[in-house]
Amino acid sequence: MLTQSLNAPAISTSITRGKIAPALHPVSDKFGAIAGHVGLVATEFSYRKEEEIYGEDEPAEYVYQVVSGAVRSYKLLSDGRRQIGAFHLPGDVFGLESGATHRLAAEAIIDTTVRLVKRTSLEKAAGTDVQVARKLWAMTASELRHAEDHMLLLGRKTAMERVATFLLEMDRRLAVASMMALPMCRRDIGDYLGLTLETVSRALSQLHAQGILGFSGARQIVLRNRARLHNLDA
Amino acid sequence: MLTQSLNAPAISTSITRGKIAPALHPVSDKFGAIAGHVGLVATEFSYRKEEEIYGEDEPAEYVYQVVSGAVRSYKLLSDGRRQIGAFHLPGDVFGLESGATHRLAAEAIIDTTVRLVKRTSLEKAAGTDVQVARKLWAMTASELRHAEDHMLLLGRKTAMERVATFLLEMDRRLAVASMMALPMCRRDIGDYLGLTLETVSRALSQLHAQGILGFSGARQIVLRNRARLHNLDA
DNA sequence: CGCTTACTTGAGCGCCATCAAACATAGTGG
DNA sequence: CCACTATGTTTGATGGCGCTCAAGTAAGCG
């Protein structure tokens, strides 16, 4: 599993397939808060839909920030069962490791552009700048908080509660004008929530029938009653 | 939920109920690696069986290390469903937060003695000593790794696979002379694995019937065939 | 428009939860 | 030392939530 990813950017002259995205909102630009601060150069790079960014247990050479698109981080069991630990959306940093290897694999869900910096550069910066070290710790702690919340969901929530939690999370993270455009398919949602794609679909249909959400195509969802959705969450 | 815990050590003159435990093995003494390094004084304190150490969302005033005993960290849903995120055994550090509050509650499973230092002391030390900052980050990253593994377990493993994983984890962490003395009850195990206590009991009985493990009382377990247990894990 | 992929919906089943009771263990007081 | 009690564990019976298998429908895309 420690094979070098063929998809990793090999050198700094790597071709970026995507376009430069509009500037991220300053407050959410965690990457810039680091890279900018210590004068690191962030390279842009693009991945196509379904392309692997790095594999599980691969050396963690880079740290990434989503510029546009969406990424899933996941673990696999030997028989193919998959648990997605997190979705990474524009502005999010992923692939940050304190150790030498990536603990989860990462793939682009749709065409995705990222900014990346070498892990060693960040390590070096953290060694001289306490503010950078503090920020790296805070980002890992933030991931841990999400994982802890997600353990509660996976271990103890019902299917409907999980889907309600998911919708509220996505609403918070990617809704524009109360509409969210989900980048991921039903199977991804299921593998994130510890459910099958059919169960996810049934839950969404039920919420639709109750008027709690509206569809404009399967992945365009508008929440019509967040209060009732909160009640369905535990 | 932000109420001050009545169980928290109020002042430095707080009475320690427990005894001073034998010195921890140097390599596993993460706390000493920090506290010793920067000259922080670690206070000892004891909690009785079932006693709360801190509550969810309480201000994170201290960071703890288990000297003897065992601790569970958990989250609750409003109706009482509980997810234990981790068990903390002698040598383990817990309650370390990058932010201002504890994201999980913590309780002593059995009579437990801890060493503790003020979070602000560690923060201050991290601000001047890069090595300390690096260590704090590494400890949080280690917790994150465990949480990521546990998400896979909770989301995708069967009951038998979960119990097998649990046994191997406990064997690794607290077995002496190939015997493990579990400090926690079946309900705790269930709440850690996202199962009921009955399902945990049935899985253990089945492993016993297959000769994979032996009992000397319900909580004294000896693994007789780790290879077969690994096969039962996914 | 035709093809492919994704999504929805239905039917039936199985794993694990629930409910219940028996059994074991540890601690207590006589 | 031994009933006695409380707590924890095991085991059984039953049921339900979510999975599996299957078919039909919709949507995206050349």
Side-chain angles (χ1 to χ4, degrees), chain B residues 123-185:
Chain B
E123 294 271 0
K124 188 155 164 261
T128 57
D129 188 331
V130 168
Q131 293 296 92
V132 172
R134 188 68 181 73
K135 186 68 185 171
L136 293 178
W137 179 27
M139 287 194 291
T140 296
S142 178
E143 283 190 68
L144 176 59
R145 177 167 59 252
H146 180 270
E148 288 164 344
D149 290 342
H150 211 59
M151 284 193 286
L152 176 62
L153 178 150
L154 294 170
R156 288 305 180 207
K157 289 189 182 180
T158 66
M160 184 54 81
E161 288 166 348
R162 294 179 201 207
V163 171
T165 303
F166 170 77
L167 288 171
L168 291 168
E169 179 188 353
M170 288 301 136
D171 180 52
R172 176 173 52 79
R173 291 177 63 192
L174 55 69
V176 285
S178 76
M179 163 73 83
M180 51 183 152
L182 298 178
M184 73 291 284
C185 66

Side-chain angles (χ1 to χ4, degrees), chain A residues 60 63 95-101 103 119-138 140-141, chain B residues 30 33-34 37-38 96 122-143 145:
Chain A
V63 179
L96 174 64
E97 301 286 345
S98 170
T101 59
R103 319 308 308 195
R119 192 176 70 93
T120 51
S121 307
L122 279 182
E123 294 271 0
K124 187 152 166 261
T128 57
D129 188 331
V130 168
Q131 292 297 91
V132 172
R134 189 70 181 74
K135 186 68 185 170
L136 294 178
W137 180 28
T140 297
Chain B
K30 298 168 185 167
I34 295 172
H37 193 271
V38 293
L96 174 63
L122 279 182
E123 294 271 0
K124 188 155 164 261
T128 57
D129 188 331
V130 168
Q131 293 296 92
V132 172
R134 188 68 181 73
K135 186 68 185 171
L136 293 178
W137 179 27
M139 287 194 291
T140 296
S142 178
E143 283 190 68
R145 177 167 59 252

Side-chain angles (χ1 to χ4, degrees), chain A residues 169-191:
Chain A
E169 179 188 353
M170 288 302 137
D171 181 52
R172 176 172 53 78
R173 292 177 61 191
L174 55 70
V176 286
S178 76
M179 164 72 82
M180 52 183 152
L182 298 177
M184 74 290 287
C185 66
R186 296 291 188 265
R187 178 176 298 277
D188 286 343
I189 299 172
D191 285 351

